[in-house]
Amino acid sequence: MNQLQGAAVKLALSGDSIVLRGAQKGNNPPPERTLGLAYIQAPHLGNAKKNMADEPLSLESREFLRRRIAGKVVKFVVRYKTPSGREYGSVYIGPNLIEDDMSIKLVHEGRAKVTDQARNKLNRSDVNPDEADLIDRLLDAEQSARESKRGIWDPSPQPSRPRLTAFDDDASAFLAKHKGRELRATVEQVRDASTMRVMLHLPNAHQMITLMLAGVKAPMVRTNVPGQADIVEPFGEEARFNVEIRMLQQDVKVRLEGMPQGNAANGSFVGTVIHSAGNIAEWLVSSSFAKVADWSAVYLEGGAAHLRQLERAAKANRMRIWKGFTGQTSQAPSKTFEATVIRIVSGDTVVVYDEARDADREFQLSSIRQPRMSDPDQAGYTEKARESLRRLCIGKPVTVTIDFHKPAHENFRARDCATIKCKGTDLGAHLVKNGLAGVLRYRADDGDRSSNYDELL
């Protein structure tokens, strides 16, 4: 028998084929090799690109193997190679080379059968005794499965749920039906650290979708996509590898929370992956592998305050994507005081009376953009925004939280910017909710924003 080796199982491609991962050297992803299981054949999974459907029980066979070895360290031995160089061997999930042989387990449970090649090999005079002994054990396991009518030998098997690799449903209706629910799923592919292909295990089908992690964006990794240039951003491959070793082909729960806008929406969703090992989005941010993404943070249940706190700590450490970062690494303490609104200057600026200082103070509402007078389509809303604020808060007590100071720039004078609440209602959020203001977008390294920014989004 060839030399026994050790490796981690990256994934099970099918019920009789796996991808093994070698030892990692430095920060580079480790080498990989594909290994077919010698002398056995499982039902074939289909291929949408070749218009091939799944064979009966093919997913059940793959799942039997995946649940037992994906992500685990195993022993393996290469038994033979094809002329094209493809390797076939045996994989052991424990120290006993007979009881822990994964091929024998698959055949015994009716998830695979012994190949004709193996049967013919027994009749050859040059057969290796070790190989002959292995084939005999495989044939014994197959006979047991046949007699007990297990798996592929069951004459009346339960019909399998279809595996849908394309998304042909109405994405909006699909989201409305499943939004907020925790759905059983398996992570099938990690495109980059914040984008995955997951298989949702629904009552009537196994549906593949693309899932973007809500609230975070990792460096892009795009390679070998027809018609598109390869893009591998710094730390992208390292980030993806670290997600793969934690999540790839693991059982998780997925909570769908939204959809991206534009052409990418069909079959792509924004959501959260729930795993016993923890929150992968939080881990990515705290490990300096991802930034907080404002556009998708709006979908997070409970807001993105915790993610932003983790991001500030990661910036301060200046590792990986934040190496060389020179911006602000902590939020300046907010100054909060009680006041009374005495004048509405415009749709984003008010004057309050600060009794403690016995002074009138003018503030611009943080992180919002009022309708532009210069834009014919928006000009009519400027007075509506001002009137809406007047009705809401003129003459009423408010809580003012000063967020930052905006210095004078070109023709604009210096301004103090604040989050102002009247009886718990954020004035900026009130305008945005009623379509009378927009929300300003910021660079990841710009900390000058509303203390209630996530509600605005």
Side-chain angles (χ1 to χ4, degrees):
M1 186 169 74
N2 291 332
Q3 182 181 2
L4 196 64
Q5 304 175 66
V9 179
K10 177 181 177 180
L11 74 160
L13 293 171
S14 64
D16 58 15
S17 182
I18 63 176
V19 176
L20 296 168
R21 206 182 245 140
Q24 185 180 14
K25 296 181 180 180
N27 293 327
N28 297 317
E32 298 176 359
R33 66 198 295 179
T34 300
L35 184 73
L37 297 182
Y39 306 128
I40 71 168
Q41 180 179 319
H44 293 148
L45 287 167
N47 188 319
K49 292 181 180 179
K50 297 180 180 180
N51 199 28
M52 295 170 55
D54 289 350
E55 291 183 355
L57 301 179
S58 56
L59 182 60
E60 287 81 353
S61 177
R62 198 290 301 261
E63 289 294 270
F64 181 89
L65 182 59
R66 175 191 68 82
R67 291 192 179 104
R68 286 158 179 79
I69 68 171
K72 296 181 179 179
V73 175
V74 298
K75 297 292 184 182
F76 72 98
V77 61
V78 176
R79 295 189 177 275
Y80 58 88
K81 295 182 181 180
T82 64
S84 64
R86 181 166 184 183
E87 297 177 318
Y88 289 82
S90 298
V91 175
Y92 307 100
I93 57 174
N96 191 309
L97 300 189
I98 295 178
E99 295 179 2
D100 295 323
D101 187 324
M102 201 62 236
S103 296
I104 292 177
K105 290 180 180 293
L106 282 159
V107 173
H108 183 268
E109 294 303 317
R111 300 303 178 185
K113 64 181 181 180
V114 182
T115 64
D116 292 338
Q117 173 201 13
R119 300 174 195 275
N120 295 334
K121 194 166 189 175
L122 278 180
N123 298 322
R124 290 169 47 180
S125 59
D126 61 346
V127 63
N128 182 292
D130 288 335
E131 300 296 292
D133 185 54
L134 170 61
I135 295 171
D136 280 334
R137 293 199 304 272
L138 287 171
L139 289 171
D140 288 344
E142 182 180 273
Q143 185 62 31
S144 173
R146 285 175 179 269
E147 291 174 355
S148 299
K149 298 181 174 57
R150 290 191 292 267
I152 60 176
W153 308 113
D154 185 346
S156 303
Q158 291 292 324
S160 301
R161 284 175 289 170
R163 182 177 66 104
L164 307 177
T165 56
F167 191 89
D168 297 324
D169 206 348
D170 182 310
S172 297
F174 187 86
L175 177 62
K177 180 178 180 180
H178 298 292
K179 185 175 181 179
R181 296 170 51 200
E182 293 187 1
L183 305 174
R184 290 193 311 108
T186 304
V187 177
E188 294 289 336
Q189 179 192 10
V190 180
R191 289 187 174 177
D192 60 46
S194 57
T195 309
M196 307 172 184
R197 290 281 287 170
V198 301
M199 185 190 300
L200 302 178
H201 303 299
L202 304 175
N204 299 319
H206 302 281
Q207 176 66 64
M208 292 283 286
I209 65 166
T210 298
L211 184 73
M212 302 176 183
L213 293 179
V216 301
K217 179 67 176 75
M220 180 182 289
V221 179
R222 186 181 69 197
T223 57
N224 302 318
V225 177
Q228 298 190 48
D230 288 354
I231 298 177
V232 180
E233 294 179 342
F235 302 102
E237 290 185 325
E238 184 182 354
R240 180 175 67 179
F241 168 70
N242 274 277
V243 173
E244 282 182 345
I245 62 176
R246 289 164 171 81
M247 309 293 292
L248 184 60
Q249 283 208 337
Q250 299 301 302
D251 290 323
V252 299
K253 289 186 178 179
V254 166
R255 185 168 58 238
L256 301 182
E257 293 163 324
M259 283 193 308
Q261 300 298 314
N263 295 331
N266 192 29
S268 296
F269 298 88
V270 178
T272 299
V273 175
I274 304 163
H275 188 262
S276 57
N279 187 314
I280 193 66
E282 293 178 359
W283 181 86
L284 285 167
V285 174
S286 64
S287 300
S288 300
F289 280 127
K291 302 176 180 180
V292 175
D294 291 338
W295 76 268
S296 63
V298 299
Y299 298 113
L300 283 171
E301 196 174 87
H306 183 53
L307 280 179
R308 296 192 191 281
Q309 183 180 4
L310 294 173
E311 185 181 61
R312 287 193 292 273
K315 289 177 180 177
N317 290 332
R318 290 177 171 81
M319 293 175 60
R320 299 189 178 103
I321 64 172
W322 299 116
K323 187 176 182 180
F325 174 73
T326 58
Q328 182 178 325
T329 60
S330 62
Q331 275 191 323
S334 297
K335 297 178 181 178
T336 301
F337 64 94
E338 304 300 317
T340 302
V341 178
I342 60 173
R343 186 157 65 96
I344 308 298
V345 177
S346 67
D348 68 354
T349 304
V350 301
V351 176
V352 302
Y353 173 64
D354 182 352
E355 186 174 357
R357 289 192 179 189
D358 190 24
D360 296 348
R361 304 175 68 181
E362 182 178 291
F363 292 98
Q364 185 176 39
L365 299 178
S366 299
S367 301
I368 70 165
R369 178 188 290 113
Q370 69 169 325
R372 295 188 180 96
M373 285 292 294
S374 58
D375 186 338
D377 294 330
Q378 298 182 22
Y381 292 98
T382 55
E383 185 57 33
K384 289 183 179 180
R386 181 175 178 276
E387 177 63 15
S388 181
L389 287 181
R390 187 190 68 79
R391 291 183 178 183
L392 177 65
C393 64
I394 192 70
K396 296 179 182 179
V398 293
T399 300
V400 180
T401 301
I402 302 175
D403 296 317
F404 57 93
H405 177 76
K406 186 187 296 183
H409 178 66
E410 296 180 349
N411 296 326
F412 297 95
R413 60 188 176 87
R415 293 284 190 91
D416 286 325
C417 297
T419 297
I420 301 177
K421 293 186 178 183
C422 179
K423 295 183 178 179
T425 298
D426 184 316
L427 303 191
H430 166 79
L431 291 171
V432 172
K433 182 179 180 179
N434 287 281
L436 299 174
V439 181
L440 295 173
R441 304 288 174 161
Y442 297 94
R443 302 187 312 272
D445 59 356
D446 189 350
D448 288 344
R449 59 183 69 186
S450 169
S451 52
N452 201 31
Y453 188 63
D454 289 323
E455 183 180 344
L456 296 179
L457 289 173

